[in-house]
Amino acid sequence: MDALFWCCLLFGALMALVTLIFGDGLGDAAGGLFSIDLHDVFQPVVLSGGITVFGGMGLLLHRYSELPGYGIYLLSVMGAALIGMGMYFVYVRPMRNSENSTGYSMNELTGMLAEVLTPVPATGFGEVLVKAGVGYSNHVAASFDKVDVPAGTKVVVVEVKEGTLYVSRMD
């Protein structure tokens, strides 16, 4: 019994150390292995914490309590699950929800407000500045209404076709 708990304690501590050093890369690799919706629960920090608590709690209960073997295993599993859930809800989940992404789809720009940087001629192309995601980006633009749109004009993106934003003046 002691050998199992010592192995779990040492393996969990080693896994925590490896997670600390190789954090994001290991988390992304492990996250890709799970196809269920709760894959964040299986993040290395949660797993290593649970395994370490299982080993440490099992050792302490075995040494300092009069519980039978199945009671020690049961309490150790319950303690590991409780600590693992705590780590998930206190650390992993808030960190996942706080991430900002700069990625966006061109189709998401439809309906967004923009400012003309390079004048958009009635039949040609110009350039607009659009707030997309957490930053701003420049895009090729054409006039949706087939009218000239001077620089500095506020416009709205009406549609996106083949990487070009078709814009119309804000009236």
Side-chain angles (χ1 to χ4, degrees), residues 22-37:
F22 300 109
D24 289 336
L26 185 62
D28 292 341
L33 295 175
F34 299 100
S35 60
I36 59 176
D37 289 340

Side-chain angles (χ1 to χ4, degrees), residues 13-142:
L14 180 63
M15 189 173 169
L17 183 64
V18 168
T19 301
L20 177 67
I21 295 170
F22 300 109
D24 289 336
L26 185 62
D28 292 341
L33 295 175
F34 299 100
S35 60
I36 59 176
D37 289 340
L38 297 174
H39 72 278
D40 284 346
V41 175
F42 298 108
Q43 289 293 318
V45 69
V46 175
L47 290 175
S48 66
I51 292 169
T52 305
V53 168
F54 173 77
M57 194 170 182
L59 283 172
L60 291 173
L61 287 172
H62 186 263
R63 188 160 301 185
Y64 298 111
S65 75
E66 299 295 323
L67 292 172
Y70 68 87
I72 292 172
Y73 286 121
L74 182 64
L75 283 176
S76 296
V77 167
M78 288 173 37
L82 184 67
I83 294 298
M85 286 184 345
M87 291 177 78
Y88 173 73
F89 285 110
V90 171
Y91 179 72
V92 173
R93 190 171 174 195
M95 289 299 131
R96 288 283 181 200
N97 292 338
S98 70
E99 290 183 1
N100 287 327
S101 174
T102 58
Y104 62 92
S105 168
M106 289 289 287
N107 292 330
E108 292 175 12
L109 298 177
T110 301
M112 301 289 285
L113 299 178
E115 181 179 346
V116 177
L117 295 177
T118 305
V120 179
T123 59
F125 298 99
E127 183 179 25
V128 294
L129 181 67
V130 182
K131 184 171 182 1
V134 294
Y136 290 89
S137 62
N138 300 4
H139 292 280
V140 175

